[in-house]
Amino acid sequence: CFGAPRDATLIVEGAQGDFLLLILTGSVRVVKRVAGGSADDVVTVAVLGPGASVGEMSMIDGRLRFATCRTMEPTDFAVLSSRSLREILQSAPSLGNKFLLLLLQIMVRRLRDTSNTLMPHIAGVFV
């Protein structure tokens, strides 16, 4: 378990990363840079609290971080690396599979939420 003060950057958009963070206490704001804008031009993608995870996309696909995650208040979090996940899958397959299923459910829920948010903005494009 790790702790971070208010306004700490936990994950940086565009950085390498092979781990996810599970938020135990506190809250995290997820922000994405605006295309063509300055480094300070960002949009809030989500505000997450205890029980949420961040960083799972890069942990799974190995690509650069999608967004920046900053604490909004003192926050405690746990770290799970891709290496640790592979070890869990080998030593405790049932537990590892349950974790992967939970992670898949989280990612699908986020995809649905994003799609529902975007559909009103692009509905006229398909007419």
Side-chain angles (χ1 to χ4, degrees):
C1 181
F2 299 90
R6 182 179 191 273
D7 292 327
T9 301
L10 303 178
I11 291 175
V12 176
E13 181 178 348
Q16 290 284 91
D18 66 345
F19 60 89
L20 68 77
L21 305 177
L22 178 62
I23 301 165
L24 304 174
T25 65
S27 58
V28 173
R29 181 181 311 275
V30 181
V31 298
K32 180 89 176 131
R33 283 185 290 224
V34 175
S38 73
D40 294 331
D41 291 334
V42 297
V43 62
T44 297
V45 175
V47 173
L48 304 171
S53 64
V54 294
E56 62 278 344
M57 291 191 318
S58 291
M59 184 185 84
I60 297 296
D61 69 9
R63 295 180 65 187
L64 299 178
R65 296 294 190 184
F66 175 76
T68 295
C69 302
R70 293 189 186 104
T71 58
M72 298 175 63
E73 60 188 306
T75 301
D76 294 318
F77 57 94
V79 178
L80 178 68
S81 68
S82 58
R83 179 176 177 230
S84 295
L85 178 58
R86 284 192 304 275
E87 289 172 5
I88 291 169
L89 287 165
Q90 287 180 339
S91 64
S94 180
L95 175 63
N97 286 329
K98 286 178 185 178
F99 181 80
L100 286 177
L101 183 57
L102 179 62
L103 193 58
L104 182 60
Q105 290 170 344
I106 290 167
M107 294 175 84
V108 166
R109 184 177 61 241
R110 289 183 184 166
L111 179 60
R112 285 184 186 275
D113 290 346
T114 300
S115 296
N116 286 334
T117 300
L118 292 177
M119 283 311 294
H121 301 288
I122 62 173
V125 173
F126 298 110
V127 176

